[in-house]
Structure formats: structure tokens, C-alpha cells
Amino acid sequence: MSTRFNMDEVHPAAYQAGAGMEKALQNSFLTPIQKELIKIRASQINGCAFCLDMHTKDALKYSETPQRIFLLNAWKDARELYTEEEQVILAVAEEVTLISHKGLTEETYQKAKQIFNETQIADIIMAAVAINMWNRIAISTHMAVAG
């Protein structure tokens, strides 16, 4: 499958607006590992090979373990590998990614409120929104996985 076009070249203003979301998230409370877990999990759900390739490599650079990356798709069955905070972050990210199913459920939101403040919950939601945007760009333009 060949790349259809480069979104950054065809629609630079919109692409840069997306990059602005990423820049805003640099100052979030989320650790680099937490950000990569969100990016990997959403990309698994969306089937984005380009983003999975990029973010699993990035996670490894941040010293994430291969085991946690390998089992991320089944994190609910491997809860012992993920902290309580990470489990809530992943639940929020999944529900935002699968927004048409139930949205961010009240149960998950209440769990998040027990651990995080509103600004932190907003950071988690925006991190999920950002990667979902990038997934959609990469999949619809057929961005190639780096060789």
C-alpha cells in the first residue's frame, strides 16, 4: 500500500494545529510512559500500523518493558503489570477511542475522579483525542511504516 499524500504538505495549517495539541500536552502531568501507553492502546484499537510502530519504539526508548507493550492489548487480564493510575488512564483512553460505543462512562469517569483532578482528566482525554486524530490521518493517507 503506497502513501496517498502527505497531509502536512497538502493541508499544513490543519496539520500544524494537530501538532499544537501535542505541544500543549508536553506540559501535562502525564509521564512519557503514560503518554505512550495511551498512544499504543488507541493505535491498537484503531489498527494504525504507522503509529504502533512509532510509539512502541518510543516507549522502549523511555525504558518501557517489552512485556508491558506486548500485553497492552490485554491489560485488563494482566492488571498486575499496570498501576492503578495506568489502568484508569487506559480505561479512559479506550472509552474515548471507542466513543460511539458508550462514550466515557460514568463508572470510568468516577474512578478517574478518585485519582485525578479535572485538569489531569482533561490531559488524559486530550492525549486520547490527539492520538485518535493522528491515527485517522495515518490510516486514511496510508502512511508507510518506517523500514
Side-chain angles (χ1 to χ4, degrees):
M1 187 167 19
S2 62
T3 302
R4 290 177 169 159
F5 61 89
N6 182 323
M7 186 67 76
D8 190 22
E9 293 172 3
V10 174
H11 207 318
Y15 194 88
Q16 291 308 311
M21 287 177 64
E22 290 291 340
K23 186 173 182 177
L25 289 167
Q26 288 177 351
N27 298 319
S28 79
F29 85 100
L30 293 163
T31 68
I33 293 287
Q34 290 169 335
K35 289 178 194 175
E36 295 307 321
L37 291 175
I38 291 169
K39 292 173 182 181
I40 295 167
R41 186 65 192 113
S43 299
Q44 288 173 331
I45 292 167
N46 290 325
C48 184
F50 179 87
C51 293
L52 280 167
D53 181 62
M54 175 191 300
H55 295 297
T56 54
K57 289 175 182 174
D58 288 347
L60 290 169
K61 288 178 193 172
Y62 291 125
S63 300
E64 181 55 275
T65 66
Q67 182 186 31
R68 282 174 29 111
I69 294 171
F70 298 154
L71 293 174
L72 189 55
N73 197 42
W75 69 269
K76 291 175 186 172
D77 291 329
R79 289 182 186 269
E80 66 277 5
L81 297 178
Y82 304 94
T83 67
E84 180 182 9
E85 290 83 9
E86 289 170 335
Q87 291 176 39
V88 172
I89 288 168
L90 290 168
V92 171
E94 284 185 3
E95 291 182 8
V96 170
T97 299
L98 298 167
I99 198 75
S100 67
H101 291 195
K102 295 180 186 174
L104 178 56
T105 64
E106 190 62 26
E107 178 184 358
T108 299
Y109 179 67
Q110 291 303 322
K111 285 180 185 175
K113 278 182 53 174
Q114 291 173 6
I115 299 172
F116 305 112
N117 64 39
E118 285 183 349
T119 302
Q120 293 170 323
I121 295 169
D123 283 345
I124 298 165
I125 292 170
M126 290 307 295
V129 168
I131 190 59
N132 274 280
M133 174 193 62
W134 295 123
N135 287 168
R136 281 150 178 77
I137 291 169
I139 292 167
S140 61
T141 62
H142 294 179
M143 289 177 70
V145 174

